[in-house]
């Protein structure tokens, strides 16, 4: 291919079959590293690129877009969340940003229920006990957890993932309430102000995006406002929760337990959380099924192919005005 051929930068390996369509629209560079690129590596890699396929571990800000230069047309994030992109900066430079909504709704809702069940039924704690070789026997009061039937689930952020969690929770016999930026009408759930949701829910599950408004939405005050004996589930973004405050609330019994898939300074996890038995810690697995990750890669690729061939991107976050 000649120098006019669009350069497409993929910041971390994706399934080669999913990348196939890119080869007919450009020359593809895929990071050889089995880790996120450093900022310097990222900026060097994107030079001259027409398209960047980014991961949620990449910070794509004004400097990154400037490093790419004037050929850049699209940043296709391989995630539904896009707090790692500075969308206004990208858009200001005439570049389109896209994400991968829709395809990971069920996988993420399933993982939310997994964490909810695992923490309320103490499965991970029990697994550690069995593996440790500690003697145990069935006893009427042994390792009791908390049932879900008739309990209230409070969903914060009632987008498509929140709604998919609501349907699952209803099947488990839970009563569902929600708090959402935009009013949404969801069968079987009613809206509540956040303070009321926190004060009345037996389980609170976070499904809002990370924005300046939602950073530390769940802080020490919010945790104190929760019911004693309540559980917190976070499969959204780590910084929505003040992790140090959460560790303290779990240690002193302010809340009963937590199930976390995301962390404030990923992949670091607060030391105190790693020591506590009443928190289940998953390594950001919300969308981690073969089927879903394949569809996410395909959708990121579809967005790039569309933009490089002059068509409308299927899932834009924002379209620059030209
Ligand atoms: C995963 O966290 C995503 O936003 O896709
Ligand atoms: C946050 O509360 C949201 O509604 O997404």
């Amino acid at each position: 291919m000649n120098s006019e051929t669009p350069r497409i930068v993929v910041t971390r390996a994706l399934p080669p079959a999913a990348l196939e369509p890119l080869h007919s629209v450009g020359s593809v560079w895929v990071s050889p590293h089995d880790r996120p690129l450093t900022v310097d590596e990222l900026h060097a890699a994107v030079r001259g690129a027409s398209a960047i396929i980014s991961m949620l571990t990449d910070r794509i800000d004004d400097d990154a877009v400037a490093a790419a230069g004037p050929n850049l047309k699209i940043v296709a994030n391989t995630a539904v969340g896009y707090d790692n992109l500075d969308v206004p900066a990208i858009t200001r430079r005439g570049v389109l940003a896209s994400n991968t909504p829709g395809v990971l709704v069920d996988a993420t809702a399933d993982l939310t229920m997994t964490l909810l069940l695992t923490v309320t039924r103490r499965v991970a704690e029990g697994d550690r006990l069995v593996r440790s070789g500690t003697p145990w026997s069935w006893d009427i009061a042994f390792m009791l957890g908390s049932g879900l039937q008739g309990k209230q689930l409070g969903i914060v952020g009632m987008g498509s993932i929140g709604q998919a969690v609501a349907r699952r929770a209803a099947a488990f016999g839970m009563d569902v309430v929600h708090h959402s930026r935009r009013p949404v009408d969801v069968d079987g759930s009613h809206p509540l102000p956040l303070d009321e949701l926190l004060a009345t829910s037996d389980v609170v599950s976070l499904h809002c995006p990370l924005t300046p408004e939602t950073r530390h939405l769940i802080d020490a005050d919010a945790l104190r406002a929760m019911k004693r004996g309540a559980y917190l589930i976070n499969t959204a973004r780590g910084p929505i929760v003040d992790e140090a405050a959460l560790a303290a609330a779990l240690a002193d019994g302010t809340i009963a337990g937590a199930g976390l898939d995301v962390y404030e300074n990923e992949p670091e996890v607060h030391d105190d959380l790693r020591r506590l038995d009443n928190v289940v810690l998953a390594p950001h697995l919300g969308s981690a099924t073969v089927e879903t990750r394949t569809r996410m890669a395909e959708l990121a690729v579809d967005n790039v192919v569309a933009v490089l061939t002059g068509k409308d991107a299927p899932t834009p976050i924002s379209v620059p005005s030209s």
Side-chain angles (χ1 to χ4, degrees):
M1 297 201 185
N2 61 38
S3 59
E4 306 295 303
T5 305
R7 172 175 168 78
I8 302 168
V9 169
V10 182
T11 64
R12 191 148 184 187
L14 292 177
L19 295 181
E20 205 43 50
L22 294 178
H23 296 288
S24 55
V25 296
S27 70
V28 183
W29 180 89
V30 180
S31 168
H33 302 292
D34 188 19
R35 56 168 173 76
L37 295 174
T38 65
V39 172
D40 287 345
E41 287 170 343
L42 175 71
H43 290 184
V46 299
R47 257 182 77 184
S50 296
I52 301 171
I53 295 186
S54 56
M55 309 301 134
L56 56 85
T57 43
D58 301 312
R59 177 90 195 123
I60 309 291
D61 53 12
D62 195 57
D63 289 346
V65 180
N71 291 343
L72 189 64
K73 293 191 175 58
I74 175 168
V75 175
N77 207 38
T78 316
V80 66
Y82 48 84
D83 47 282
N84 60 309
L85 309 184
D86 184 342
V87 175
I90 294 169
T91 310
R92 242 187 341 261
R93 288 184 181 267
V95 176
L96 182 139
S98 66
N99 65 339
T100 62
V103 297
L104 46 69
V105 169
D106 287 322
T108 306
D110 287 350
L111 190 86
T112 303
M113 293 310 292
T114 304
L115 290 176
L116 200 169
L117 289 161
T118 304
V119 67
T120 55
R121 298 303 298 276
R122 304 173 62 179
V123 175
E125 193 186 340
D127 180 87
R128 286 191 293 277
L129 177 106
V130 171
R131 283 171 198 279
S132 73
T134 307
W136 61 276
S137 63
W138 189 96
D139 171 80
I140 199 86
F142 178 56
M143 279 200 86
L144 302 188
S146 176
L148 300 182
Q149 294 70 31
K151 300 288 174 64
Q152 179 174 305
L153 172 66
I155 297 181
V156 179
M158 199 58 154
S160 44
I161 297 173
Q163 293 180 36
V165 171
R167 289 192 294 274
R168 284 157 174 76
F172 278 87
M174 300 188 82
D175 301 322
V176 182
V177 299
H178 66 270
H179 171 75
S180 207
R181 247 175 331 180
R182 283 183 287 268
V184 275
D185 204 6
V186 178
D187 269 356
S189 175
H190 66 270
L192 280 184
L194 183 61
D195 54 350
E196 269 181 61
L197 179 148
L198 293 175
T200 58
S201 295
D202 300 290
V203 180
V204 172
S205 191
L206 306 178
H207 301 286
C208 52
L210 173 61
T211 64
E213 292 73 39
T214 64
R215 182 175 295 272
H216 282 197
L217 184 69
I218 304 300
D219 58 7
D221 287 342
L223 290 160
R224 260 194 306 276
M226 285 173 67
K227 271 173 96 165
R228 285 259 152 176
Y231 295 85
L232 178 71
I233 310 295
N234 188 8
T235 57
R237 282 293 182 270
I240 298 168
V241 177
D242 178 339
E243 213 165 274
L246 174 62
L250 288 167
D252 70 13
T254 300
I255 65 170
L260 307 178
D261 190 41
V262 288
Y263 304 92
E264 227 182 314
N265 300 301
E266 247 169 76
E268 306 302 324
V269 176
H270 197 287
D271 275 342
D272 294 349
L273 289 179
R274 291 195 286 117
R275 279 192 278 269
L276 288 165
D277 250 335
N278 56 345
V279 56
V280 177
L281 306 170
H284 206 144
L285 298 177
S287 63
T289 66
V290 172
E291 295 84 353
T292 295
R293 286 287 168 81
T294 302
R295 294 196 62 199
M296 288 166 68
E298 288 168 352
L299 188 49
V301 166
D302 287 350
N303 276 284
V304 168
V305 171
V307 167
L308 294 188
T309 56
K311 303 193 179 77
D312 287 342
T315 53
I317 298 164
S318 71
V319 183
S321 50
S322 44

